[in-house]
């Protein structure tokens, strides 16, 4: 494709996306297709001759779009939001257009240095400790996901502890990616300890953690890493980082914080309490600008308080990557901070987002989500037919419809039926979790397009469907 | 950013990229900045108020671009190419615009099903075995990089073998990502066996592999995976897959093929000999459309002959991801085929590339690279002052300037000086490797913009600089 063809088709694609943004409410939130529908609609093999770009766009519209679930839809309340935004998309587009590799400083210095600058900027915006900045002992890096960031942290912890009967401590509410990281890193599943949580708000119990560590030490294990979560996936519970940190410090255990969803909320001063204990005790910390900070996936930031064990854990230097800049020690080679070797110029999108919105714009986005969630929680609390989970400091509201005079099993079936009817309708999309064995609705607010009216309409829709099922 | 602001700024960015493509030769290939230059030119902290998009683009031009090494430049001959193309960029742009998550089928069915279709298409285009297709026992998946693909393959191999004193077999020419994968997976570095290579073309010696396996079996190790390479990074050597495969079959060892760079060359029938033995013996295979098949990074395809051990190795199912489609067994959840949980809609770019170019266009791209490399190798071979590495089946040509009457140390210094002068000039960019301890130039041809004239000019430039140094 020539530069001029690119210019023409590129503008078509920009128009297509702008129209998609403007018209997103015309789509059902959740795709209505059945397994295999899309595959069946596509040809058996690639074309022998090239095809015009218009044909590709037409097939996107006709074949692909019915199979898309619209994560940017204002009525998408499932999972956690996956924010995208104009400047984020355009930053990513610039990265694709430049097509550089940032595996080491020498392969494109700006790719490394802009990343260092924006992760330092973000650390400041979130009020994270100064010593995590790259001009101190720590440093940040953009990873593809919190899963990968947590795996990298575990590898640094394993390196620091030495590999010998290592144990990892999580709670039943910790994200599944930590168990997966353990499996990947060769820490057997049976050496992943599950710490009890308090009943509400489902936060890790430091007392039980202390017992497990003591028992493991008696049994000759090497307690290696604790993962504390700030904003669990299920209910946005917040583990007591300070008390966990005191235990970790006492035993020299690596403390990792998974703040994938909620960490970015600390752009707002009034939410910085979530990071209590982080500055004093935490070795590594992940948060996802791609969840709730207007940056399109993939953009997780991992910070470490000390970059040395991370780099030592992951450095392998073959001849073809040797170069004067690396050997001078003056530069960062981010390939030593991640699983893959290759890396895109991901900092461009975070840079574009931080500049376009500014700190004020980012705070406004978080505050809007928190305020809408607060409003919804108020409506739920006032309603006798729903049981609200009181804890909702961020954009997630969890609640459960009540089914008086029904058995637990029947009530469960009715809740699942309610959820299915809502999601099948295409009007709104929620997800669920289980609390005390009971299926609970999760309404995650945070898509940039979501307004008061969308939340109110969703609440009315849930009520109407509930009444229909109860009747 | 509103849809209309996006429309406006999006077109500015498209114009910027089209101008960049058209004017790329006006830039020095390799960035001329010193460590810290870019960082020093950027502000200390993020702006408090948002800034206009024009300001971001202006700073891109003024601050960022001097720090960019131009991987798409026609005179970029370093490493392996990192191809980008118009349809690839636009496919990625669509993915950013849709902003969907493809972690499981249910979160956006088209994201999964289009991926299944395009990796099956590509398997056919490369003449790979039918049983690797998803409608048989195997299957393909898009990973971010061959490093990650190889790690995933190793995890499947470890799962199949059981984790107990596992050993991994590579050669001295195997990509460093395999050693890194072993470290990540908890296979100690001392259990990575280095198989000898033949002097030319530096391919793995099956006889030595057999000896190492036999010794390990006697010593109570579990030989778990052999990585054979088709097109090594250093010199594009090809390990004898068939003979290695016979050994693996005999001992039940997982055979992984790293064809990151060269695998895509099999779109051309006349190059399919590189895959001799692959259909019969290989368990997993990675190749990178982002290297030499016009698809911008990141786009590695990993195929497995049997998807069961892969999925078993990597599946973790928390409550919040449970859904009817997954439980029906009718769908693929690609999160179980990769390290991270989240995933972008990467198949859109590969789909756009395969359709825009068609099989014919892809073959033409590969053939152009091979022909240009062949031509360059011819010039080198005819020249008495350079020693050519005879093996050059793809786009890489390796050769070494001769420095008569100089000691080995002086000759080495002169070669490195030649390389530095060429790369520092900004006119062309080469990388190097060591063969038999001697620094050897690598000229990797394959950027879409590279023509006969560029290669000829590069060759003349190398000659001129060489003569200047020899004088």
């Amino acid at each position: 494709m020539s530069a001029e063809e690119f210019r023409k088709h590129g503008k078509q694609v920009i128009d297509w996306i702008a129209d998609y943004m403007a018209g997103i409410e015309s789509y059902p939130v959740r795709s209505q297709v059945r397994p295999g529908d899309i595959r069946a609609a596509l040809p058996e093999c690639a074309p022998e001759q090239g095809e015009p770009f218009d044909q590709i766009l037409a097939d996107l519209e006709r074949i692909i779009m019915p199979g898309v679930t619209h994560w940017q839809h204002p009525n998408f309340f499932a999972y956690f939001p996956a924010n995208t935004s104009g400047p984020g998309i355009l930053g990513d587009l610039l990265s694709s257009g430049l097509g550089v590799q940032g595996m080491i400083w020498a392969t494109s210095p700006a790719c490394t240095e802009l990343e260092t600058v924006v992760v330092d900027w973000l650390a400041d915006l979130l009020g994270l400790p100064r010593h995590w900045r790259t001009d101190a002992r720590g440093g940040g890096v953009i990873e593809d996901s919190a899963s990968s960031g947590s795996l990298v942290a575990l590898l640094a912890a394993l390196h620091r502890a030495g590999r010998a009967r290592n144990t990892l401590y999580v709670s039943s509410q910790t994200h599944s990616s930590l168990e997966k990281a353990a499996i990947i890193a060769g820490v057997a599943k049976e050496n992943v300890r599950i710490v009890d949580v308090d009943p509400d708000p489902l936060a890790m119990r430091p007392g039980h953690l202390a017992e497990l560590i003591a028992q493991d030490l008696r049994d000759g294990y090497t307690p290696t890493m604790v993962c504390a979560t700030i904003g669990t996936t299920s209910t946005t519970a917040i583990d007591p980082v300070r008390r966990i940190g005191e235990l970790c410090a006492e035993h020299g255990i690596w403390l990792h914080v998974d703040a994938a969803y909620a960490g970015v909320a600390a752009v707002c001063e009034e939410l910085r309490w979530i990071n209590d204990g982080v500055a004093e005790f935490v070795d590594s910390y992940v948060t996802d600008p791609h969840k709730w900070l207007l940056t399109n996936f993939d953009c997780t930031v991992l910070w470490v308080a000390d970059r040395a064990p991370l780099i030592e854990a992951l450095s392998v230097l073959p001849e073809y990557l040797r170069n004067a800049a690396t050997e001078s020690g003056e530069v960062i080679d981010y390939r030593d901070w991640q699983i893959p070797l290759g890396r895109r110029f991901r900092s461009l999108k975070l840079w574009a987002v931080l500049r376009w919105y500014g700190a004020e714009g980012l705070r406004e986005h978080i505050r809007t989500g928190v305020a809408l969630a607060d409003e919804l929680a108020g409506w739920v609390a006032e309603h006798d037919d729903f049981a609200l989970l009181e804890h909702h400091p961020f954009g997630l509201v969890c609640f459960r419809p009540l089914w008086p005079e029904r058995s637990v099993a029947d009530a469960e079936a009715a809740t699942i039926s309610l959820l299915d009817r809502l999601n099948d309708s295409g009007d709104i999309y929620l997800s669920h979790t289980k609390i005390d064995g009971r299926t609970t609705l999760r309404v995650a607010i945070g898509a940039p397009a979501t307004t008061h009216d969308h939340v109110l309409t969703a609440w009315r829709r849930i009520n109407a469907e509930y009444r229909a099922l109860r009747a």
Side-chain angles (χ1 to χ4, degrees), chain A residues 6 64 89 112 124 142 145 147 328 353 382 435 442 460:
Chain A
F6 174 79
I64 305 300
I89 297 169
T112 292
D124 286 351
I142 301 178
S145 65
S147 318
S328 75
V353 165
E382 282 170 19
I435 301 177
R442 293 172 77 261
R460 287 183 177 150

Side-chain angles (χ1 to χ4, degrees), chain A residues 112-378:
Chain A
T112 292
E113 297 199 11
L114 183 64
E115 184 156 332
T116 303
V117 167
V118 296
V119 296
D120 281 354
W121 282 7
L122 188 61
D124 286 351
L125 284 176
L126 301 181
L128 295 173
R130 291 287 303 180
H131 69 279
W132 290 10
R133 289 176 52 109
T134 322
D135 49 18
R137 284 179 66 208
V141 60
I142 301 178
E143 307 271 338
D144 62 359
S145 65
S147 318
S148 299
S150 295
L151 170 59
V152 161
L154 176 59
L155 295 168
L158 287 165
H159 179 81
R160 194 176 77 177
R163 288 204 183 229
R165 302 192 75 203
N166 307 94
T167 48
L168 165 66
Y169 304 82
V170 302
S171 84
S172 58
Q173 303 298 304
T174 303
H175 191 270
S176 59
S177 58
L178 271 292
E179 182 185 329
K180 187 164 171 176
I183 293 168
I184 291 167
V187 174
K189 193 174 163 175
E190 58 267 26
N191 291 344
V192 179
R193 308 280 180 251
I194 312 295
V195 186
D196 290 345
V197 292
D198 284 320
D200 186 8
L202 301 173
M204 188 183 276
R205 285 186 45 223
H208 187 225
L209 174 64
E211 286 167 29
L212 288 172
I213 292 170
Q215 185 63 47
D216 281 332
L217 287 171
R218 280 193 299 273
D219 295 345
Y221 288 97
T222 310
T224 301
M225 182 166 112
V226 177
C227 176
T229 305
I230 295 175
T232 59
T233 305
S234 177
T235 63
T236 63
I238 300 170
D239 292 334
V241 171
R242 179 174 296 280
R243 290 173 62 206
I244 294 168
E246 286 162 355
L247 278 169
C248 288
E250 186 185 331
H251 297 288
I253 304 171
W254 186 286
L255 177 53
H256 175 63
V257 166
D258 173 3
Y261 163 66
V264 296
V267 287
C268 302
E269 290 247 10
E270 70 273 21
L271 284 165
R272 296 235 171 119
W273 59 269
I274 64 173
N275 283 332
D276 179 51
V278 162
E280 298 90 328
F281 295 110
V282 168
D283 293 292
S284 53
Y285 185 103
V286 286
T287 191
D288 292 347
H290 66 237
K291 282 204 173 73
W292 199 16
L293 207 69
L294 297 163
T295 310
N296 40 316
F297 187 84
D298 46 355
C299 186
T300 288
V301 182
L302 164 70
W303 286 280
V304 285
D306 179 1
R307 60 185 171 265
L310 173 65
I311 294 170
E312 287 161 17
L314 288 170
S315 292
V316 179
L317 182 60
E319 182 61 31
Y320 45 83
L321 293 179
R322 285 191 184 275
N323 67 90
T326 295
E327 275 152 34
S328 75
E330 288 177 88
V331 301
I332 294 172
D333 291 328
Y334 277 124
R335 73 186 181 100
D336 299 329
W337 299 53
Q338 64 174 21
I339 303 300
L341 172 60
R343 58 200 328 267
R344 287 177 298 131
F345 202 158
R346 279 188 290 226
S347 56
L348 282 171
K349 62 184 167 191
L350 186 53
W351 184 56
V353 165
L354 297 181
R355 293 193 62 183
W356 171 266
Y357 292 102
E360 283 185 354
L362 301 174
R363 286 182 206 120
E364 191 192 322
H365 173 62
I366 297 291
R367 284 180 184 139
T368 300
V370 171
L372 291 176
D374 213 46
E375 205 164 16
L376 172 62

Side-chain angles (χ1 to χ4, degrees), chain A residues 353-430:
Chain A
V353 165
L354 297 181
R355 293 193 62 183
W356 171 266
Y357 292 102
E360 283 185 354
L362 301 174
R363 286 182 206 120
E364 191 192 322
H365 173 62
I366 297 291
R367 284 180 184 139
T368 300
V370 171
L372 291 176
D374 213 46
E375 205 164 16
L376 172 62
W379 300 330
V380 177
E382 282 170 19
H383 204 303
D384 291 339
D385 294 332
F386 295 88
L388 173 73
L389 183 79
E390 287 294 339
H391 173 88
H392 58 86
F394 308 113
L396 178 72
V397 183
C398 298
F399 55 92
R400 183 163 62 83
L402 302 175
W403 308 96
E405 294 160 42
R406 297 200 195 180
S407 69
V408 170
D410 285 355
E412 276 294 285
T415 301
I416 290 165
S417 176
L418 171 65
L419 184 68
D420 287 344
R421 286 172 64 141
L422 289 166
N423 290 347
D424 290 347
S425 75
D427 296 338
I428 64 175
Y429 188 19
L430 314 181

